[in-house]
Amino acid sequence: MTQTADLPRAVAAAVRDARRILVLTGAGMSAESGVPTFRDAQTGLWEAFDPSQLATPQAWRDDPPFVWAWYAWRIKLVRDVEPNAGHRALADLAALREVTVVTQNVDDLHERAGSEVAAHLHGALTELRCADCHTQYDDAPALPDEPVERLAPETCAACGGDVRPGVVWFGEMLPEEAVRTTEDAIEALAPGDVCLVVGTSGIVFPAAGYPAMALAKGATVIEVNPVETDISDMCHHVVRGTAANVLPELVGAVADDPG
Ligand code: BJW
């Protein structure tokens, strides 16, 4: 394994020589846009909030206004920020190589940077739906300007249920199509292809298992993350840096010498 704070030539060469590149992103991808990660010390969302009170179906059943207020704040936060240089570099990479982007993120920053996202494994903040009858709501919800502690969710026009964010909470199944698309993309990998894992702690399953599945297909697994994670040990290369620093350098190296 190579582990470095610089972009080693071997990493750029692996990406340059790959036929297919599967990019798996997590919360660190959007950190430099100003979206807090979940588990980073000091800044992670779980430092200030208890996940069991917010990101579970039980939390929603217990207190929808408490949970909805937190998600309304996050929807507004994401709406007000911009994709960073890392998001834009991945969009640029798609012009150079066959790239499949799979994200655990519930924001739309990859799309706003110009990437097509094959799968949002944990759903999307703004894909609202009724918690009872699953009617979907596409209209932007009314959001308070400032964070509030409680906010009544919208009422479903079809059944009177509470309208919830379109994210996947702990204990919920991931969207079937997102899982199928991801597993198909992994299945299509062959030796010489690359799995680029950016900004995830590798703690939450099933997403945390995908790099190992890519490894089993013979792909070269590269992690971009400022710190060691649960998946670092199994990676061929680890680049200790941030998404917005490393990815433009990596894509620039491929663009400068496309091979
Ligand atoms: C940077 C950076 C920079 C910072 N640049 N990097 C097998 C074993 C054990 C448990 C399970 C298992 N299979 C399933 C489970 C249960 C559970 C689970 O995994 N629990 C774990 C805690 C152990 N999984 C589930 O429940 C999943 N459902 C499921 O499996 O269904 C089947 C099933 C059902 C019932 C029973 C059993 C099976 C659903 C998981 C849903 C996750 N939902 C959340 C919330 C989404 C909604 C919301 O946004 O509020 O998804 S939790 C949260 O974690 C969010 C994220 O997508 C997810 C992953 O976090 P991520 O992206 O890795 O972020 P962080 O903060 O952890 O890490 C950030 C990283 O970035 C760090 O490493 C930083 O260093 C780095 N970084 N700045 C690059 N600038």
Side-chain angles (χ1 to χ4, degrees):
M1 176 179 68
T2 59
Q3 181 175 328
T4 174
D6 302 318
L7 183 69
R9 276 221 288 252
V11 171
V15 173
R16 188 183 304 122
D17 295 345
R19 199 170 46 100
R20 290 198 165 99
I21 301 163
L22 172 63
V23 184
L24 303 174
T25 68
M29 182 76 229
S30 298
E32 287 152 292
S33 291
V35 182
T37 65
F38 292 91
R39 299 174 183 82
D40 279 314
Q42 309 300 324
T43 56
L45 289 169
W46 296 158
E47 287 289 304
F49 304 98
D50 177 354
S52 66
Q53 284 183 0
L54 289 161
T56 66
Q58 188 61 47
W60 178 260
R61 281 193 292 273
D62 287 349
D63 194 348
F66 182 67
V67 176
W68 176 240
W70 191 61
Y71 280 97
W73 167 68
R74 289 178 55 211
I75 291 171
K76 180 160 185 340
L77 188 150
V78 166
R79 194 184 281 174
D80 290 348
V81 301
E82 298 295 331
N84 63 55
H87 293 106
R88 291 193 295 274
L90 290 178
D92 292 346
L93 185 60
L96 302 170
R97 291 290 179 277
E98 188 181 326
V99 173
T100 304
V101 176
V102 169
T103 188
Q104 296 173 75
N105 295 346
V106 295
D107 64 49
D108 60 354
L109 295 175
H110 280 303
E111 287 91 338
R112 281 159 54 193
S115 284
E116 190 180 320
V117 175
H120 275 275
L121 291 167
H122 296 160
L125 278 172
T126 52
E127 283 180 9
L128 307 180
R129 67 172 190 274
C130 173
D132 295 337
C133 74
H134 311 300
T135 298
Q136 299 210 332
Y137 289 88
D138 296 330
D139 290 346
L143 300 174
D145 287 332
E146 299 297 327
V148 292
E149 201 177 314
R150 308 171 66 74
L151 183 66
E154 306 270 316
T155 299
C156 174
C159 77
D162 289 328
V163 175
R164 59 164 281 181
V167 300
V168 180
W169 286 320
F170 284 116
E172 290 188 312
M173 304 301 281
L174 277 62
E176 254 175 55
E177 199 181 325
V179 171
R180 195 172 32 249
T181 302
T182 306
E183 292 182 355
D184 286 351
I186 294 171
E187 195 54 40
L189 293 172
D193 291 340
V194 159
C195 175
L196 186 61
V197 188
V198 185
T200 177
S201 55
I203 287 173
V204 175
F205 283 84
Y210 291 141
M213 288 166 66
L215 183 77
K217 293 296 296 180
T220 300
V221 182
I222 301 168
E223 176 178 66
V224 176
N225 197 309
V227 305
E228 184 171 354
T229 72
D230 283 18
I231 62 152
S232 299
D233 275 354
M234 51 141 287
C235 294
H236 293 95
H237 304 287
V238 170
V239 186
R240 289 276 166 255
T242 70
N245 282 327
V246 173
L247 296 176
E249 198 184 338
L250 176 59
V251 175
V254 176
D256 289 346
D257 179 11

